[in-house]
Amino acid sequence: MGEESLKKRKGEDKGRGDRQSIQSHEPQTMNLQKQAIFLLFLLCGICMIVGTIIGSGIFVSPKSVLANVEAVGPCLIIWAACGVLATLGALCFAELGTMITKSGGEYPYLMEAFGPIPAFLFSWTSLLVTKPSSFAIICLSFAEYASAPFYPGCDPPQVVIKCLAAAAIVVITIVNSLSVKLGIIFLLFAGKTENFKDSFKDSKISVSSISLAFYNGLWAYDGWNQLNYITEELKNPYRNLPLSIIIGIPLVTVCYVLINISYFTVMTSTELLQSQAVAVTFGDRVLYPASWIVPLFVVFSTLGSANGTCFTAGRLVYVAGREGHMLKVLSYISVKYLTPAPAIIFYGAIAIIYIIPGDIDSLINYFSFAVWIFYGLTVLALIVMRFTRKELMRPIRVPIIIPVIVTLVSIVLVLAPIISAPELAYLYCILFILSGLIVYALFVHLKFSWAQKISQPITMHLQMLLEVVPEEEVTE
């Protein structure tokens, strides 16, 4: 009996020791799981930023940036400076995004700082100008590179480019409505650096040329604020939002500068300016006979960027509709797919209208002028709320000098082209933005009864057609 009792006690002690060992490993396992989940969501945030930024810009803008400054040295400096400005602006948006954790990008920040009128003007301009034109530019770039291999030695017909761009918009819109879900280094080391000699010679430096060069360079970086449009859907935004920015945008900046160095390694400035598709010419020089890989990768890149832009911009339409600043049906959610389908379809329809008369260069200038008005105003909102909304929690607090610099640069970018090289297009853009005041007064502030009588049957029929309902009905 004594031996059996001793064996039993030893068995119990061993079992207890095993349980303690298992329990001691549980916290470690849970910590590893938490770290893995955090890294996964952080990677998703970085991919969203990088995937949205790197789209058509790096294949379209190098030619325009060089055309404005006319020298390799200033061109590379502007590409790096655009990356620095995008990073500083994104850091300001990181403070705003963790202070006001609402989707919609600039919209909720302007609403909180300045009230409904500037917020409405932003949504009015974004929904009808900046976001659709951005979507249209990316899809037009996709269409140019997708059709280029089929028209060697000449430019593809415009009707082909526009039809391909429209098809891309339709496909991306449908997808987002249904689901949420070494050669150049060798050449450099081999001494292929003659294009970098006297890189500042014959450069064209003026306020106007630099501003227009920045417009085209910053277009390539556009997307640095895209995570702020889906803050409500971002896991742990207090950590993932700033880290995604700090890692993602400098990574893109390094890539852009290296890509431009690659272009100038195999092409002179004159050859780059004469090229119809810079990346295709680059591929012909470096990868021939496998140069077909370049337009293929450009197609994938532009489609990915267009998809990210559509995904985030649809949320802006949705938030504006939820606040009563757009048709109420635009804030409705698909019953089957739980996506803001009406907002995404609306956005895609406006983008198709833009590709009909527009070309890439004019759309970029039009887009950049309008968007930097509101970028500057949003960063100014951050400065204002430092004094007017001190009670708001700020998990991230950037030095005040950063939003001051971004605001001043935004003012220069907006005013410099108007002062040094005035064009009617800038006046039309300002008038269109201000026309939003009339729309706001009639349909939002006064809320005319006849307008409601017209919108109610439209909302009812669209609701039945698209099978969408208000958000509160889905959450319940």
Side-chain angles (χ1 to χ4, degrees):
M1 291 290 293
E3 291 181 1
E4 291 179 1
S5 174
L6 183 61
K7 289 180 180 179
K8 184 177 181 181
R9 188 178 297 112
K10 286 182 179 180
E12 290 175 354
D13 291 340
K14 183 180 178 181
R16 190 181 300 112
D18 292 341
R19 287 194 298 272
Q20 289 175 351
S21 177
I22 292 171
Q23 289 173 357
S24 66
H25 285 293
E26 282 180 356
Q28 296 179 4
T29 304
M30 291 179 65
N31 287 333
L32 288 174
Q33 290 176 345
K34 289 180 180 179
Q35 291 176 6
I37 292 172
F38 166 70
L39 290 174
L40 177 62
F41 287 127
L42 175 61
L43 182 61
C44 290
I46 295 172
C47 289
M48 172 62 78
I49 289 179
V50 174
T52 305
I53 293 178
I54 300 180
S56 63
I58 191 59
F59 310 113
V60 175
S61 294
K63 183 177 176 180
S64 300
V65 173
L66 180 63
N68 281 291
V69 295
E70 298 183 358
V72 175
C75 181
L76 295 177
I77 290 174
I78 284 175
W79 277 103
C82 288
V84 172
L85 179 59
T87 303
L88 295 179
L91 289 174
C92 296
F93 272 61
E95 177 175 331
L96 288 166
T98 53
M99 181 174 63
I100 304 169
T101 55
K102 294 181 180 179
S103 296
E106 295 91 326
Y107 183 88
Y109 314 144
L110 293 172
M111 176 75 80
E112 198 74 31
F114 302 123
I117 294 179
F120 176 83
L121 290 179
F122 166 75
S123 64
W124 166 258
T125 306
S126 295
L127 300 182
L128 298 178
V129 179
T130 58
K131 294 301 178 183
S133 64
S134 173
F135 196 14
I137 293 167
I138 297 172
C139 290
L140 283 170
S141 303
F142 151 78
E144 283 192 356
Y145 275 92
S147 57
F150 299 98
Y151 296 90
C154 63
D155 295 339
Q158 284 298 307
V159 64
V160 173
I161 292 175
K162 293 183 184 294
C163 287
L164 273 175
I169 291 173
V170 171
V171 170
I172 292 169
T173 300
I174 292 173
V175 168
N176 279 273
S177 298
L178 297 180
S179 176
V180 225
K181 294 187 190 220
L182 294 167
I184 294 305
I185 294 176
F186 171 78
L187 289 173
L188 284 171
F189 281 108
K192 186 72 174 175
T193 58
E194 59 268 18
N195 293 337
F196 297 95
K197 295 177 181 178
D198 298 323
S199 58
F200 288 86
K201 186 179 179 181
D202 299 326
S203 61
K204 176 184 173 184
I205 303 298
S206 67
V207 175
S208 174
S209 64
I210 291 176
S211 298
L212 292 174
F214 261 91
Y215 272 6
N216 287 276
L218 288 169
W219 155 251
Y221 284 94
D222 192 67
W224 52 263
N225 62 331
Q226 293 301 297
L227 278 185
N228 291 71
Y229 282 84
I230 55 170
T231 305
E232 295 176 18
E233 301 171 60
L234 190 65
K235 299 294 183 181
N236 194 2
Y238 302 113
R239 294 181 64 184
N240 288 331
L241 181 59
L243 284 177
S244 298
I245 289 168
I246 293 170
I247 297 172
I249 300 179
L251 179 63
V252 172
T253 304
V254 172
C255 289
Y256 278 4
V257 173
L258 291 177
I259 289 171
N260 276 274
I261 291 174
S262 301
Y263 288 156
F264 289 120
T265 300
V266 299
M267 285 181 279
T268 65
S269 298
T270 303
E271 289 172 334
L272 191 146
L273 291 173
Q274 292 176 348
S275 172
Q276 296 298 325
V278 177
V280 171
T281 304
F282 169 81
D284 290 339
R285 300 284 178 86
V286 177
L287 300 174
Y288 188 82
S291 58
W292 57 270
I293 294 175
V294 173
L296 182 64
F297 275 105
V298 173
V299 165
F300 289 144
S301 176
T302 49
L303 283 178
S305 179
N307 181 70
T309 302
C310 181
F311 179 83
T312 55
R315 272 60 184 171
L316 171 61
V317 187
Y318 160 71
V319 173
R322 185 174 63 183
E323 295 291 336
H325 285 181
M326 288 288 155
L327 284 173
K328 195 66 178 176
V329 71
L330 295 179
S331 66
Y332 287 7
I333 301 294
S334 170
V335 175
K336 289 184 178 179
Y337 307 109
L338 303 180
T339 59
I344 294 172
I345 293 171
F346 175 84
Y347 172 63
I350 298 297
I352 289 177
I353 294 173
Y354 268 92
I355 67 172
I356 297 172
D359 63 89
I360 292 177
D361 291 334
S362 61
L363 283 176
I364 287 177
N365 288 337
Y366 191 48
F367 163 85
S368 299
F369 176 77
V371 80
W372 276 95
I373 292 176
F374 290 101
Y375 283 165
L377 192 61
T378 304
V379 177
L380 179 62
L382 173 60
I383 300 173
V384 170
M385 285 192 286
R386 284 283 183 94
F387 301 96
T388 61
R389 301 300 303 274
K390 295 181 180 180
E391 76 282 2
L392 291 175
M393 291 182 61
R394 291 171 170 83
I396 300 169
R397 191 182 182 93
V398 298
I400 192 67
I401 189 64
I402 292 180
V404 169
I405 291 173
V406 176
T407 303
L408 292 176
V409 172
S410 301
I411 293 172
V412 172
L413 286 174
V414 171
L415 294 182
I418 298 177
I419 296 172
S420 57
E423 293 183 11
L424 285 176
Y426 301 132
L427 177 61
Y428 295 152
C429 186
I430 293 173
L431 291 176
F432 180 85
I433 294 173
L434 294 178
S435 68
L437 293 172
I438 300 174
V439 178
Y440 178 85
L442 294 177
F443 297 100
V444 179
H445 181 66
L446 297 177
K447 294 181 180 179
F448 284 162
S449 58
W450 59 267
Q452 294 181 356
K453 291 179 180 178
I454 294 175
S455 64
Q456 284 177 354
I458 295 175
T459 299
M460 182 184 67
H461 285 90
L462 286 175
Q463 188 175 356
M464 291 187 295
L465 177 65
L466 300 175
E467 296 183 348
V468 293
V469 295
E471 180 188 23
E472 55 269 18
E473 293 186 18
V474 174
T475 55
E476 289 176 0

